[in-house]
Amino acid sequence: MSDNVRNVIIIGSGCSGLTAALYAARANLKPLVIDGHEPGGQLALTTLVENYPGFPDGIQGPELIDNMRRQAARFGAEYMAGHLVSADLSQRPFKLNFGRQTVLAKTLIIASGASARWLGLPSEKALIGHGVSSCATCDGFFFKDKPIAVIGGGDSAMEEALFLTRFATQVTLIHRREHFRASKIMLDRARQHEKIEFLPNTVVEEVYDVGKQEVTALKLRNVKTNRVWDFPTSAMFLGIGHEPNAKMFAGQLEMDQDGYLKTHDFVFTKVPGVFACGDVQDRRYRQAITAAGSGCAAAMEVEKFLEIG
């Protein structure tokens, strides 16, 4: 192979991608990490992280990501801004098109993550990490003994709401439609919980208060009556799902019905030399620590794959 063929390219610079970069770099594979359209992944949008081992007082999400970047770079990992436009995985070396250039790779680690679905409100975006969240497991603890709102009507919303009852004084499920699309068992569990209340036929039009850098209330509108009112709450959790960043591999790698990459034996895809890790293939846990573990596994498998040839 030509000298300009990379040993390994890692798509994504979140927890899984940077852990893969660290392990690949320490194996002297000189990995190239592509930042992607969300550099740093979900952690880059998080404030205080208290459930990542090794930080008894917690650590800011962006700081944790920066530490990982510098740690991998110390051993030879390289970074490139940009995102993958298309890929040809039909033969090795794999051809990866990044728009302005095409890069060849002997192996590929896909750690492109899954992006949370948001409502698209400017105030919502400004308050991410300050009372607006897409991860109850990550941030629920910060709202102990406070009222919380959850947006959504599917199983994800029910799961978030039920989990948040451990901390909140009250959880209000806000859904734009009259009927919930959640499975009967999940909906029944939520309806039977004394802390959960339902607001159907309702949409969020504004999140207060950007000026205070905290959520104090939501501006709501009933879609049937057009009644508008302010609803006091301390947090808004999005339970409308995630969008796996894997569309560029459609038709080449196996995906489930929602677009998550299918893997076997933890991180293997159906294409030899292509591995997937983190939230792009994990729709169940979606935690920084599980993403890091799968990134480690992917890099170790790359090392074994290249040894065999």
Side-chain angles (χ1 to χ4, degrees):
M1 286 187 181
S2 167
D3 290 338
N4 66 354
V5 178
R6 291 278 182 167
N7 284 318
V8 56
I9 288 179
I10 300 169
I11 308 296
S13 56
C15 218
S16 59
L18 294 177
T19 304
L22 172 61
Y23 274 77
R26 292 189 75 248
N28 202 32
L29 298 180
K30 297 179 173 57
L32 175 63
V33 181
I34 309 302
D35 277 329
H37 71 282
E38 289 182 350
Q42 296 292 307
L43 277 184
L45 302 175
T46 305
T47 50
L48 187 63
V49 178
E50 291 190 318
N51 56 2
Y52 197 88
F55 300 94
D57 298 318
I59 184 172
Q60 295 292 311
E63 183 183 359
L64 180 57
I65 285 294
D66 185 60
N67 287 348
M68 291 181 175
R69 287 181 73 93
R70 290 189 290 109
Q71 188 176 7
R74 174 188 165 203
F75 293 102
E78 298 177 35
Y79 300 94
M80 186 176 89
H83 66 277
L84 183 65
V85 176
S86 61
D88 181 0
L89 307 181
S90 62
Q91 60 181 355
R92 294 179 60 226
F94 305 124
K95 293 181 180 179
L96 306 173
N97 173 22
F98 297 102
R100 288 179 295 179
Q101 62 178 308
T102 296
V103 184
L104 305 180
K106 299 176 185 177
T107 61
L108 174 65
I109 294 177
I110 303 169
S112 46
S115 300
R117 294 191 180 105
W118 304 97
L119 299 177
L121 303 171
S123 55
E124 167 197 48
K125 184 176 182 180
L127 288 167
I128 292 173
H130 299 278
V132 173
S133 174
S134 63
C135 180
T137 306
C138 309
D139 299 325
F141 178 81
F142 299 117
F143 303 98
K144 190 173 177 63
D145 298 325
K146 294 180 180 180
I148 294 173
V150 174
I151 314 302
D155 281 353
S156 294
M158 302 304 144
E159 289 173 8
E160 297 279 278
L162 286 163
F163 179 83
L164 289 168
T165 58
R166 304 179 189 186
F167 312 105
T169 54
Q170 177 181 306
V171 177
T172 303
L173 262 165
I174 300 171
H175 185 42
R176 59 184 174 171
R177 297 190 176 93
E178 184 169 355
H179 301 290
F180 293 83
R181 65 183 184 278
S183 60
K184 185 178 184 302
I185 187 171
M186 292 301 299
L187 184 58
D188 286 346
R189 284 178 186 170
R191 288 195 185 282
Q192 291 165 12
H193 201 289
E194 59 183 9
K195 284 189 176 182
I196 297 179
E197 295 190 0
F198 290 78
L199 266 181
N201 300 313
T202 303
V203 294
V204 179
E205 295 200 331
E206 194 72 53
V207 185
Y208 306 116
D209 188 344
V210 173
K212 295 181 179 179
Q213 280 294 282
E214 65 175 311
V215 174
T216 59
L218 306 177
K219 180 182 179 182
L220 303 180
R221 179 174 62 85
N222 184 293
V223 297
K224 285 192 170 183
T225 65
N226 275 329
R227 174 186 169 235
V228 176
W229 74 103
D230 290 344
F231 180 81
T233 189
S234 295
M236 182 178 80
F237 283 80
L238 279 295
I240 53 179
H242 288 72
E243 190 78 33
N245 301 313
K247 290 180 180 177
M248 52 283 205
F249 301 107
Q252 299 187 81
L253 298 175
E254 292 179 305
M255 302 179 183
D256 68 13
Q257 69 274 14
D258 295 318
Y260 287 86
L261 292 179
K262 286 185 176 182
T263 54
H264 63 91
D265 295 333
F266 202 29
V267 294
F268 287 79
T269 71
K270 72 171 188 177
V271 177
V274 178
F275 305 88
C277 56
D279 288 9
V280 75
Q281 53 88 229
D282 171 22
R283 60 182 303 155
R284 185 177 181 90
Y285 300 108
R286 294 199 297 263
Q287 298 299 300
I289 189 63
T290 52
S294 64
C296 162
M300 293 178 73
E301 295 300 345
V302 160
E303 185 179 1
K304 292 177 185 176
F305 184 87
L306 292 174
E307 283 176 359
I308 296 173

